Amino acid sequence: MIQPFTPDPLSWVADDGQPIRELPARFTPEVLRGLHRDMVRAREFDRKLVTLLRQGRTTFYAQSRGMEATQVGLARSIRVGHDWVWPYYRDHALGLTMGVPLLDLVSQCLGTNSDPCRGRQMPHHFGAGRQNFVSISSSIASQVPPAAGNAMAQKYLGVDEITVCTFGDGATSEGDWHAGVNMAAVNGAPCLFVCENNQWAISTPLRGQMASETVHVKARAYGMPGYLVDGNDIVAVMEVLAHVVEELRRGSGPALVECLTYRVGSHSNADADAEKNYRTREEVALWTARDPITRVEGLLEHLGHPVSAEERAGLIAATHREVDEAVGQAEASGQPDWRIMFEDVYADLPVHLREQAAFLRAEQTGGRA
Amino acid sequence: MTATEPKPAVQGSEAQGTRTLTLIQAVTEALREELARDERVVVFGQDVGARGGVFLATAGLQAEFGERRVFDTPLSEASIVGAAVGMAVRGLRPVAEVQFADYMGPGFDQIVSQAAKIRYRSGGQFTAPLVIRTPSGGGVKGGHHHSQSPEAYYAHTPGLKVVMPSTPYDAKGLLKAAIRGHDPVIYFEPKRLYRAAKGEVPAHDYTVELGRGAVRREGRDLTLIGYGGVMPDVEKAAAALSKEGVEAEVIDLRSLVPWDRDLVLTSVEKTGRAVLVSEAPRTANFMGEVAYVIQEELFDALLAPVSQVAGFDTPYPYVQDKVYLPGANRIAAACVKVLNY
């Protein structure tokens, strides 16, 4: 039985891949290979997008390198397209694993015509209707109260869906975080709060963010269970989430799961030299040694089903090809023109926007209709 | 239990005449009828349940529709407004009450970053059709935490619709239209008119289209334009001017976003003079936008500069409550100045 409020992160697999406790039967070598594939795909997507950034083909990107077990584990623990997700801006591994098409993700980062969000937001702030993956916003923790409301609506409607709300450790300092978590708790709404605790909010470390030892203990104050999980151990993430999601579907009310992980890369291209500026090489090296992908590779080796160097290279090459193709397709679709700027502000175009659109049309066409 | 599609509204043919209601009774009636019509409608906020809201706008609704449909929330504007966004995205029609417009601050980010933007930023994949009702304006000895007129903040935010009725008829019709619409609406209720404004309200179902103003009085000499709590004083000023032989045309904007530019421009083109009245602080007042459009479109037709009567650029005062507000005398004086230009 998984208990809330344990002082140490719940782990199943050690850094070198050795199981610490009995491996649940559902984690067959085939399943583990699938999870490994998902994580490698997410990481290589990261790598390719950073390259695009360096080439000046996109303007912003927030890596999730090192956090793949948390996001892939979460994506594989919910019913995609049935449950609802209110994510934060570092969640592309989550979206990708939930089945948001890679072309859509790339298109959003490039702001092309193939972007379902129509080039309205800065790169990496996507949303996907088919997956109920709600549009990402930049303002920290502002997704938390709406996630509570989304879950309240699910309870009102009597459906067996749950709502997932993700955020980093920094978000827990915002008033919106406390307001939203409390709202869900008071209303017994099926909201799963997942803290992707990567230990840094841009350059502010966890200890500058909060004086409590962990995030998950805050759950107790709101009257909900809180769990602390080794966020680099995908088996642990999925085991805890399986338990919590089942409880939520049974009507237990909300829960908070803190996945302790690490953002190996910088916050974004805005602080490209994180190690030099605000953290030590030793710290980064420590967490690199806890890498979630090599841990699964160690586990598969332990189980007698190692991932060969060729296999891994094949996976990497396949993802690179996939991203290259998507970039080609996205760029070929062109940039949206001025017209879309006025659409989707309201359900219908009001008169003042009609006039402003007419003004811009005249300017853009040199007076031609 | 699942929410079903709304029942068709009762048509005018089933009309049972009109009754005299106060503005707040009209608000309550709109909420009651929409709760009955559409199971997706939920009404919530601080004290709106058993208590019926601090002004009793929701009195009796929880008893009638139950705690599932009408409920109290924690004391948190961020979570009241933010939860409304999430409910709307998931398919409900939330009507949230913020106890005073002055308290919307903690919910501001939820309104401008989430409610106003989600349709746009998701390319229409997600939408938030919600209504935030909130009492606003002065004249009730409330000091600056219970008397402000913050409508310009919200009118300045693309994606929001902004409404402020001044009559019971409009209060009911606009609220019903707001609930049935597909955009987030900030619905300001001029609290000093809650019980002071009485009027005929049809018993049958009707709506008042957002974005349409109303001519309250026809006239040829100048156009007086206002909205919300100032309207009784605007009409008083027009009546006083009439005794002096000056016929002012009086327009109630009713909606600020979108606002009825055709109605305003047609009137000002006819009269050649415009006096704009609101109680919000003068700087960056919404009426500044109205004045700008009038001068841009009708510069040649104007017989005098457009004049504005507004609140002062001070925090709303407690003791000087009545002096702060643009009463009938100040409005009439502005009209005389414009007429004598």
Side-chain angles (χ1 to χ4, degrees), chain A residues 135 156-157 161 341 346 355, chain B residues 1 39 90 120 160 261:
Chain A
S135 172
Y156 178 90
L157 294 167
E161 304 163 6
M341 196 164 81
Y346 297 97
E355 288 185 12
Chain B
M1 183 101 191
E39 209 186 342
R90 183 55 193 85
Y120 194 72
L160 299 177
R261 295 198 295 173

Side-chain angles (χ1 to χ4, degrees), chain A residues 92-275:
Chain A
H92 75 264
L94 174 60
L96 200 58
T97 314
M98 283 174 62
V100 178
L102 195 139
L103 174 61
D104 291 0
L105 288 176
V106 168
S107 301
Q108 201 282 325
C109 289
L110 299 180
T112 54
N113 267 321
S114 47
D115 170 17
C117 302
R118 313 187 78 192
R120 264 74 169 267
Q121 285 222 84
M122 67 187 285
H124 217 238
H125 290 58
F126 56 100
R130 191 166 292 182
Q131 284 76 22
N132 297 336
F133 189 95
V134 182
S135 172
I136 294 171
S137 44
S138 307
S139 45
I140 303 301
S142 72
Q143 74 277 22
V144 182
N150 196 113
M152 287 163 69
Q154 291 169 328
K155 186 178 177 187
Y156 178 90
L157 294 167
V159 292
D160 73 340
E161 304 163 6
I162 65 163
T163 300
V164 175
C165 179
T166 68
F167 43 85
D169 40 300
T172 66
S173 300
E174 290 277 7
D176 273 2
W177 187 84
H178 298 272
V181 170
N182 187 53
M183 187 72 161
V186 166
N187 287 285
C191 199
L192 168 58
F193 297 104
V194 178
C195 178
E196 301 179 29
N197 181 355
N198 67 22
Q199 306 184 56
W200 287 90
I202 307 189
S203 66
T204 304
L206 194 64
R207 288 291 149 255
Q209 203 64 244
M210 58 190 213
S212 70
E213 208 162 323
T214 63
V215 170
H216 86 296
V217 294
K218 297 175 199 285
R220 196 191 291 265
Y222 292 100
M224 65 176 74
Y227 301 85
L228 178 60
V229 186
D230 181 341
N232 283 13
D233 176 355
I234 197 163
V235 174
V237 169
M238 291 180 67
E239 275 302 283
V240 171
L241 288 179
H243 164 77
V244 176
V245 166
E246 195 185 329
E247 292 289 305
L248 256 73
R249 281 198 218 287
R250 271 197 211 139
S252 66
L256 170 63
V257 176
E258 175 183 5
C259 297
L260 186 64
T261 180
Y262 192 74
R263 187 194 81 208
V264 177
S266 54
H267 159 68
S268 73
N269 46 310
D271 67 333
D273 207 355
E275 280 123 52

Side-chain angles (χ1 to χ4, degrees), chain B residues 140-160:
Chain B
V140 295
K141 282 283 177 199
H144 56 265
H145 286 158
H146 298 83
S147 303
Q148 294 171 98
S149 299
E151 58 269 20
Y153 295 123
Y154 303 97
H156 192 63
T157 302
L160 299 177

